[in-house]
Amino acid sequence: MTNPYFGRLLTAMVTPFNAGGVDTLAMGRHAQWLVEHGSDGLVVCGSTGEAATMTLAEKKAAVQAVIDKVGGRTRIVVGAGTNCTASTLELVKEISGMAIDGLLIVGPYYNKPTQEGYYQHFAAVAKSTKLPIIVYNVPGRTASNIAPVTVARLARDFDNIVAVKEAAGNVAQTAELFRLLPRDFSIYSGDDGMVLPFMSVGATGLISVLSNIGGEGLQGIMQAYSDGRVKEAAELNAKLAPLCQAMFVETNPIPVKYAVTRVTGIDVGAPRLPLTEISHDAAEKVDRVLKEHNLL
C-alpha cells in the first residue's frame, strides 16, 4: 500500500443546501475549486458535510455531484457511518456501487461501545465491502475513544482497513498508533491545528476542515516537514494557526460554511438545524482573520 493511501491532504467537504435539499451545482463547483486549490482527495458526507442531518437520497445526490465534476481526477471518500451497525451496513451497501475510492466510517456515537464492540462494528463493515476503509476516531463527537490496540487489531485482520483519521487531539495516542500499526497503514490527523505535532510522531496526512477555503498552506507545512525543514514547517504552522482557530469559533461547520461562501464566491448556504447560521460576532472574527490572510 502507498502511505498516505488517499493522498496527503483530503478536504472534509461542506455540503451546500438550498430549499430543495442538496445544491448539487454548488457541490460540484466547490469540488472542482478544491481540486484546483491543494486538495489531493475529497471526503463527502462527513461530519463537516452535516451527514447526520441528510437523508440517504441527499447523500447519494451529493456524492454523485462530486463524481460528475471531479471523478477520475481526485480520490473520493464517502462518510458512511452511523451509530447503528445494521444501518451502517445498509448505507455502505447503497454507496459502494458508486464510483468512489473509499469509505470513512466513524466510531458509533452515543452508544459508547466497548473496545470489542468497536472491533465487531468495523469488522462487520469491512466484511461487507471491498472498498478501502478509514476508521474515524472523534471522541469529542462520539463520547468514546477507539483505542490504538483496537485499530491495530482491525488493521491486522482486514486488508481493506487501510487508514485511521485520528481526531482525539492526543499526540501520545497518535504515537501509540504509529508504534502498533504497520508502516504502510496511513495515519491522518483529524485536526488542522495538530497536523505538525502528529506528523512528528508518525502521521503522514491530514483530513481537513480549513482546506475548504484552500489547501496550499497546509500542503506547505506538510511538505516542509517531510523535507526535513522542521523550523520552516513550524513557522508556516504558526502563520496558519489563526485561520485554523477561526474555523472553530463556533461549532463546525458553522464558521467554515460562512468562510467558503466569502472566499470562493460559491454560495454553500447556512447549516441545517440544529446548527444555526453564524452569529454576528463570530462572522466579524472570521472576516478579520480572512482579511489578515489576504483571502478577502
Side-chain angles (χ1 to χ4, degrees), residues 18-265:
N18 56 27
V22 176
D23 185 338
T24 54
L25 179 60
M27 190 86 191
R29 288 179 61 206
H30 188 43
Q32 180 170 317
W33 191 94
L34 291 171
V35 170
E36 294 169 354
H37 288 82
S39 294
D40 300 317
L42 305 175
V43 175
V44 187
C45 298
S47 302
T48 303
E50 301 176 79
T53 59
M54 296 172 68
T55 66
L56 173 59
E58 287 177 329
K59 290 176 182 178
K60 294 178 77 170
V63 173
Q64 192 60 53
V66 174
I67 292 169
D68 290 344
K69 199 68 173 181
V70 298
R73 295 170 53 199
T74 193
R75 297 290 191 95
I76 300 172
V77 177
V78 178
T82 74
N83 72 323
C84 169
T85 303
S87 61
T88 298
L89 294 176
E90 184 61 31
L91 181 53
V92 167
K93 180 180 178 181
E94 290 285 343
I95 296 296
S96 291
M98 304 181 79
I100 62 175
D101 299 288
L103 300 168
L104 178 73
I105 306 295
V106 69
Y109 41 88
Y110 189 81
N111 311 68
K112 301 181 73 173
T114 62
Q115 293 304 310
E116 182 62 23
Y118 275 128
Y119 176 85
Q120 294 295 342
H121 176 80
F122 284 102
V125 176
K127 291 173 184 176
S128 76
T129 181
K130 294 181 179 180
L131 284 169
I133 294 167
I134 304 174
V135 173
Y136 180 15
N137 184 39
V138 57
R141 287 186 181 267
T142 65
S144 189
N145 183 56
I146 307 172
V149 68
T150 302
V151 180
R153 183 183 172 196
L154 289 164
R156 182 188 68 234
D157 292 350
F158 299 98
D159 291 341
N160 61 333
I161 296 182
V162 300
V164 59
K165 177 184 177 182
E166 180 52 58
N170 187 326
V171 176
Q173 179 157 292
T174 303
E176 182 69 357
L177 283 166
F178 183 71
R179 186 181 75 84
L180 293 174
L181 288 164
R183 289 295 174 261
D184 61 354
F185 193 93
S186 300
I187 301 172
Y188 287 96
S189 171
D191 297 293
D192 292 302
M194 297 296 289
V195 63
L196 190 53
F198 275 22
M199 288 188 77
S200 75
V201 295
T204 55
L206 170 66
I207 299 179
S208 172
V209 173
L210 178 60
S211 58
N212 273 282
I213 57 172
E216 295 92 342
L218 293 162
Q219 287 279 21
I221 293 169
M222 291 188 282
Q223 188 62 54
Y225 186 84
S226 297
D227 291 345
R229 295 177 280 119
V230 177
K231 186 175 180 181
E232 181 181 344
E235 293 291 346
L236 292 170
N237 188 68
K239 290 179 181 177
L240 214 59
L243 265 178
C244 293
Q245 294 162 6
M247 295 305 101
F248 294 90
V249 292
E250 291 183 342
T251 303
N252 179 50
I254 295 172
V256 73
K257 291 195 86 169
Y258 173 79
V260 168
T261 299
R262 297 281 283 146
V263 171
T264 70

